[in-house]
Amino acid sequence: MSLQLDRMEIEEEGRDDAVRLARAIHKQLGPLSGPVPVHDIALALDIVEIREEELDGFEAALITQPERDIGSIVVNLKSDRRRRRFSLGHELGHFLQADHVLNQPDGFLCSKRDMVEQDLNAARYEVEANRFAIELLAPPEMVRPALRGFPDLDKAQRLAERLDLSFVAAARRYAELHDESLAVIICRDSVVSYMARGPGFPFLLAGRGSRVPLPASTTDRLTSMELVDPRDWLAKPAGTELSLQTLHQRDGHSISLLHAVRETDE
Ligand SMILES: [Zn+2]
């Protein structure tokens, strides 16, 4: 039997808020034993068609009307499956948040960049659609078991497997929900392409496009968490102890986790 959800109740409880909407969906789904069935969820909420096509210049699209009776979603077949799951969640977010104004005559067209926007200066609807996607695909109760013990990228990697999320999305969520102050840095050839700070993590010195001192590369090997000089990383390094762990991937890509600990004042 296909999945049944009560859209009216979800929208009533969600009141156009990304977090509340995702929570209302999970309330109806109940506890899940595997990854969140985002495909079936979309189909149960008046998305009548989900197509996978090779797309150029954008990552996903939602075809709908301002009143959102029904919608169709297209996601980029050129991107890997986990990325497509996130894109699908993102477009479903635009569909369910009826206050999102269409950015095309017949819906929304979203780029790769749109899919990672988190900061408040970015387009608000994109930030909210991403918020919905991560809350839907990685709700706090499903992430919690990964948060025990010391921060470790290996745990984020296992979280990605368990929730069928991209490693970057899982690491970002891990940093966001962990009790410790964490940041995720994505680099190519030691140049920052993306960074996300968890709550309480101090301001970083480096921005997109700047070079950072990563440990020597050993492909597909996770380094251990090592103390680094906070002056290399933080805008205000005084009084903070900083550790870094890096996973070097193929073609110079890497993902790093920074862990900041405030030294207690005497
Ligand atoms: Zn979008």
Side-chain angles (χ1 to χ4, degrees):
M1 207 182 80
S2 64
L3 180 63
Q4 302 285 329
L5 292 170
D6 184 339
R7 181 179 165 194
M8 206 181 279
E9 192 177 291
I10 287 166
E11 289 184 339
E12 233 169 69
E13 279 185 36
R15 284 169 286 148
D16 287 335
D17 176 86
V19 178
R20 281 198 299 257
L21 277 164
R23 204 178 292 148
I25 292 171
H26 277 288
K27 196 170 133 193
Q28 288 189 20
L29 288 171
L32 298 169
S33 53
V36 176
V38 60
H39 208 272
D40 293 341
I41 291 169
L43 293 176
L45 294 173
D46 296 327
I47 296 299
V48 292
E49 188 189 20
I50 299 164
R51 288 201 314 270
E52 300 192 326
E53 288 175 13
E54 298 206 344
L55 304 174
D56 282 308
F58 65 104
E59 199 55 20
L62 166 68
I63 298 105
T64 192
Q65 328 73 37
E67 52 283 359
R68 309 290 205 280
D69 292 338
I70 55 166
S72 303
I73 292 174
V74 190
V75 292
N76 193 358
L77 196 52
K78 287 181 181 170
S79 291
D80 76 41
R81 196 175 47 82
R82 290 181 173 175
R83 227 184 158 125
R84 299 203 299 271
R85 278 170 55 78
F86 190 90
S87 299
L88 179 52
H90 176 104
E91 297 306 327
L92 183 61
H94 283 313
F95 181 70
L96 294 176
Q97 296 176 85
D99 62 330
H100 285 198
V101 178
L102 277 51
N103 67 17
Q104 301 291 313
D106 58 351
F108 294 84
L109 209 55
C110 303
S111 67
K112 234 173 203 156
R113 169 110 280 160
D114 290 334
M115 301 288 169
V116 295
E117 288 299 1
Q118 276 192 308
D119 69 81
L120 300 168
N121 300 323
R124 188 193 114 206
Y125 302 148
E126 301 312 321
V127 176
E128 289 178 353
N130 290 333
R131 175 51 54 196
F132 173 82
I134 198 66
E135 295 287 339
L136 183 70
L137 294 169
E141 63 274 16
M142 290 180 83
V143 176
R144 212 159 285 140
L147 303 175
R148 294 189 198 113
F150 286 109
D152 190 338
L153 266 184
D154 183 50
K155 291 175 189 164
Q157 209 165 14
R158 275 182 279 159
L159 180 68
E161 294 298 322
R162 186 157 55 80
L163 298 185
D164 205 7
L165 270 181
S166 75
F167 187 17
V168 174
R172 205 163 71 192
R173 188 64 162 155
Y174 181 77
E176 180 181 51
L177 294 181
H178 208 286
D179 285 338
E180 297 291 321
S181 293
L182 303 176
V184 176
I185 317 282
I186 311 297
C187 293
R188 176 139 196 214
D189 301 326
S190 294
V191 172
V192 176
S193 53
Y194 175 81
M195 55 212 307
R197 291 182 301 129
F201 194 92
F203 281 107
L204 286 155
L205 201 57
R208 249 176 223 157
S210 45
R211 185 167 290 275
V212 287
L214 293 179
S217 153
T218 15
T219 304
D220 280 331
R221 275 207 45 204
L222 189 58
T223 69
S224 52
M225 197 49 111
E226 305 270 4
L227 281 173
V228 290
D229 190 340
R231 288 171 299 183
D232 288 338
W233 291 92
L234 303 178
K236 286 183 182 167
T240 301
E241 197 178 84
L242 194 67
S243 323
L244 171 76
Q245 186 186 27
T246 297
L247 176 71
H248 291 283
Q249 298 163 305
R250 244 153 280 163
D251 305 323
H253 291 277
S254 66
I255 174 163
S256 300
L257 189 67
L258 280 171
H259 178 202
V261 178
R262 195 84 200 134
E263 286 159 359
T264 42
D265 302 309
E266 291 296 306

